[in-house]
């Protein structure tokens, strides 16, 4: 219908309203859970008995001598879970008068689900001084049942200023080919990474780094000269879990700790850590009679993460 120019301007150009919500950009799935072993924790916790390798060889020098056996050593690490929730409430009067044809509830449920996925990544990384996560305290159980909480062992750290030519000297550096190769070397020395298939650890390695570190790798001349590695890193930069130079790389720009311009990336052997869940995200939608029959949307979940073997987890601090 053509505009009636005889009508007042207010009538000729009425405001219009979009019927659907435009959702804010956000991460909608976990980026790091694909790097981890996932185990069900049906009770308060789940314990993993650990058998340390033996070192008991001795030469026989006396035909009828004593065998002098050593005692095998064992240990336990524990994974616990904690309950979490994401609650929202929608007033029925406000929703009816908001001025859109789409309900606020379905789009908000999708946002809550995405929030739970991001929380999964936060739990995986952890934080120093807190229990759980790659960088937090592990939970250790002694033979007598005493529980302790060992912090991250800083021995397993690639120096922030590491350079192959200079070693741990000179200025601090970002993520580099040299740091990745140093990481592979240290893991190999500990028999965590197998160079020839001779160790008992077929699981892949994960490396959680930020977008800035991916960019640093792409600018490294030692990688730029390798077309395949550069192409794979471009996939990592696009948010795709990709195997590059022995590591399955995952980008996390929200949870890696940063202090003094240095960001701590973290690499780990899949068998060295466990993601435990008592309950994966469950959604409840209810009307609350005592709240003017407002609608409540709640997600519940219960999970945790812990190191099982310390020497399978390395910090890789980088500038930028």
């Amino acid at each position: 219908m053509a505009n009636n120019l005889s009508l007042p301007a207010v009538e000729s150009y009425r405001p219009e309203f979009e019927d659907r919500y435009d959702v804010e950009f956000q991460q909608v799935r976990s980026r790091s859970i694909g790097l981890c072993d996932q185990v069900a924790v049906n009770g308060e916790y789940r314990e993993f008995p650990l058998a340390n390798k033996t070192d008991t060889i001795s030469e026989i020098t006396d035909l009828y001598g004593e065998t002098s056996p050593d005692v095998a050593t064992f240990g336990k690490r524990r994974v616990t879970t904690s309950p979490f929730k994401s609650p929202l409430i929608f007033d029925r009067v406000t929703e009816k008068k908001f001025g859109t044809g789409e309900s606020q509830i379905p789009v908000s449920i999708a946002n809550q689900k995405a929030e739970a996925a991001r929380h999964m990544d936060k739990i995986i990384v952890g934080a120093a001084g807190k229990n759980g996560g790659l960088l937090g305290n592990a939970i250790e159980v002694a033979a007598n049942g005493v529980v302790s909480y060992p912090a991250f062992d800083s021995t397993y750290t690639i120096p922030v200023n590491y350079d192959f030519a200079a070693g741990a000297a000179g200025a601090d550096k970002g993520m580099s080919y040299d740091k990745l190769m140093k990481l592979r070397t240290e893991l190999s020395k500990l028999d965590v990474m197998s160079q020839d298939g001779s160790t008992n650890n077929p699981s892949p390695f994960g490396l959680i780094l930020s977008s800035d570190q991916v960019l640093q790798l792409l600018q490294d001349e030692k990688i730029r000269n390798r077309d395949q590695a550069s192409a794979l890193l471009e996939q990592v930069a696009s948010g795709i879990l990709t195997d590059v130079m022995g590591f399955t790389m995952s980008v996390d720009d929200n949870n890696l700790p940063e202090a003094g311009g240095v960001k701590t990336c973290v690499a780990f052997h899949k068998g060295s850590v466990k993601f435990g869940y008592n309950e994966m995200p469950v959604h409840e939608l209810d009307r609350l009679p005592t709240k003017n029959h407002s609608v409540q949307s709640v997600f519940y979940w219960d999970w945790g993460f812990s190191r099982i073997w310390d020497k399978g987890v390395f910090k890789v601090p980088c500038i930028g």
Side-chain angles (χ1 to χ4, degrees), residues 178-301:
D178 287 353
K179 283 187 177 180
L180 291 181
M181 293 304 102
K182 176 65 172 175
L183 180 58
R184 288 178 62 100
T185 300
E186 295 303 317
L187 290 167
S188 178
K189 289 178 180 178
L190 295 169
D191 288 328
V192 178
M193 175 171 278
S194 177
Q195 303 287 17
D196 55 4
S198 63
T199 59
N200 61 334
N201 48 6
S203 298
F205 286 80
L207 174 60
I208 302 176
L209 69 173
S210 77
S211 297
D212 291 331
Q213 277 66 62
V214 176
L215 180 60
Q216 291 165 354
L217 288 173
L218 283 167
Q219 298 302 314
D220 191 320
E221 289 291 340
K222 295 180 181 179
I223 293 177
R224 291 172 68 181
N225 293 331
R226 292 167 168 80
D227 292 341
Q228 183 179 12
S230 295
L232 292 172
L233 280 169
E234 289 174 0
Q235 294 183 38
V236 176
S238 300
I240 302 172
L241 280 180
T242 309
D243 294 329
V244 186
M245 293 181 289
F247 299 94
T248 304
M249 296 188 182
S250 171
V251 173
D252 188 331
D253 289 316
N254 300 311
N255 300 303
L256 295 173
E258 184 173 3
V262 175
K263 179 159 291 184
T264 300
C265 305
V266 58
F268 56 98
H269 181 268
K270 185 175 181 180
S272 297
V273 298
K274 302 293 181 185
F275 179 91
Y277 60 90
N278 181 276
E279 183 179 42
M280 296 302 271
V282 173
H283 183 237
E284 302 285 355
L285 192 67
D286 308 285
R287 281 207 178 272
L288 306 180
T290 59
K291 301 289 185 180
N292 292 325
H293 288 85
S294 297
V295 175
Q296 177 179 263
S297 170
V298 189
F299 271 85
Y300 295 97
W301 61 89

Side-chain angles (χ1 to χ4, degrees), residues 10-224:
V10 174
E11 294 294 328
S12 299
Y13 302 100
R14 293 182 178 180
E16 295 180 332
F17 298 94
E18 182 61 40
D19 288 337
R20 299 185 63 83
Y21 285 94
D22 198 355
V23 181
E24 181 182 2
F25 297 126
Q26 61 183 305
Q27 175 189 335
V28 297
R29 59 178 176 80
S30 171
R31 292 174 175 167
S32 300
I33 190 61
L35 307 178
C36 312
D37 277 341
Q38 301 176 51
V39 297
V41 180
N42 295 318
E44 183 180 353
Y45 54 80
R46 183 166 178 170
E47 289 186 346
F48 295 85
L50 309 178
N52 297 308
K53 64 182 180 181
T54 58
D55 186 17
T56 60
I57 298 174
S58 61
E59 184 181 359
I60 299 175
T61 58
D62 186 347
L63 190 60
Y64 299 104
E66 293 289 336
T67 56
S68 303
D70 287 338
V71 176
T73 58
F74 303 91
K76 288 182 181 179
R77 284 285 173 96
R78 180 181 290 178
V79 176
T80 62
T81 65
S82 298
F84 299 91
K85 64 181 179 180
S86 171
L88 291 175
I89 192 168
F90 303 90
D91 176 71
R92 64 189 303 272
V93 176
T94 302
E95 184 179 6
K96 286 179 177 296
K97 295 183 177 181
F98 192 72
T100 177
E102 182 185 22
S103 170
Q104 300 173 358
I105 298 174
V107 68
S108 298
I109 291 173
N111 282 340
Q112 288 177 286
K113 185 176 180 181
E115 184 182 17
R118 295 194 296 271
H119 183 260
M120 186 177 284
D121 287 348
K122 181 179 180 179
I123 289 294
I124 290 172
V125 173
K130 296 183 178 180
N131 293 339
L134 289 163
L135 301 177
N137 302 330
I139 306 175
E140 191 165 87
V141 184
N144 60 1
V146 174
V147 178
S148 59
Y149 302 90
F152 186 93
D153 188 341
S154 60
T155 302
Y156 306 119
T157 303
I158 303 301
V160 65
N161 57 352
Y162 179 78
D163 178 87
F164 178 75
D172 293 348
K173 297 173 177 62
M175 186 65 77
S176 65
Y177 176 86
D178 287 353
K179 283 187 177 180
L180 291 181
M181 293 304 102
K182 176 65 172 175
L183 180 58
R184 288 178 62 100
T185 300
E186 295 303 317
L187 290 167
S188 178
K189 289 178 180 178
L190 295 169
D191 288 328
V192 178
M193 175 171 278
S194 177
Q195 303 287 17
D196 55 4
S198 63
T199 59
N200 61 334
N201 48 6
S203 298
F205 286 80
L207 174 60
I208 302 176
L209 69 173
S210 77
S211 297
D212 291 331
Q213 277 66 62
V214 176
L215 180 60
Q216 291 165 354
L217 288 173
L218 283 167
Q219 298 302 314
D220 191 320
E221 289 291 340
K222 295 180 181 179
I223 293 177
R224 291 172 68 181

